Amino acid sequence: MTERLKEIKSKIDDGEIDAAIQELNKLLAQHPDNADYAYYLLGNAFRKQGDWQGALNNYQEAIALNPDSPASEARRMVMDILEFYNKDMFNQ
């Protein structure tokens, strides 16, 4: 499973987001155990698409499974971005 996750991460890095999301969803259906990193990658894929809520939801799943997941930092960064955007919207 680890090698497959590396391949999916490469797809996300290369911009093959839809394919990566499909593979991650299949992987999660087949291997619900050890899913924290898959949810983290899924969050990254949604973030790259600009789907902030999808990213946050998946980061939260990863954090629920493993509080030490890199998703904790990723979630914090997304929240910082969203708070910055929201402040700008109120100042228009």
Side-chain angles (χ1 to χ4, degrees), residues 12-70:
I12 294 169
D13 293 342
D14 294 340
E16 298 174 44
I17 307 301
D18 291 332
I21 290 172
Q22 287 178 349
E23 286 188 43
L24 285 164
N25 284 327
K26 285 181 193 174
L27 186 69
L28 286 166
Q30 295 168 354
H31 303 282
D33 53 328
N34 300 328
D36 62 309
Y37 192 69
Y39 279 116
Y40 166 68
L41 290 178
L42 203 49
N44 289 347
F46 281 110
R47 180 183 46 79
K48 277 198 153 188
Q49 284 186 325
D51 181 349
W52 301 106
Q53 191 61 54
L56 288 171
N57 290 345
N58 284 288
Y59 290 149
Q60 197 59 46
E61 285 289 330
I63 294 166
L65 294 170
N66 177 8
D68 296 326
S69 168

Side-chain angles (χ1 to χ4, degrees), residues 43-44 46-48 50-53 55-56 59 73-90:
N44 289 347
F46 281 110
R47 180 183 46 79
K48 277 198 153 188
D51 181 349
W52 301 106
Q53 191 61 54
L56 288 171
Y59 290 149
E73 180 66 16
R75 184 184 184 285
R76 188 192 60 73
M77 289 189 306
V78 168
M79 291 303 295
D80 287 347
I81 291 168
L82 292 176
E83 287 172 8
F84 177 78
Y85 283 155
N86 288 336
K87 287 178 187 169
D88 283 350
M89 284 177 28
F90 291 122

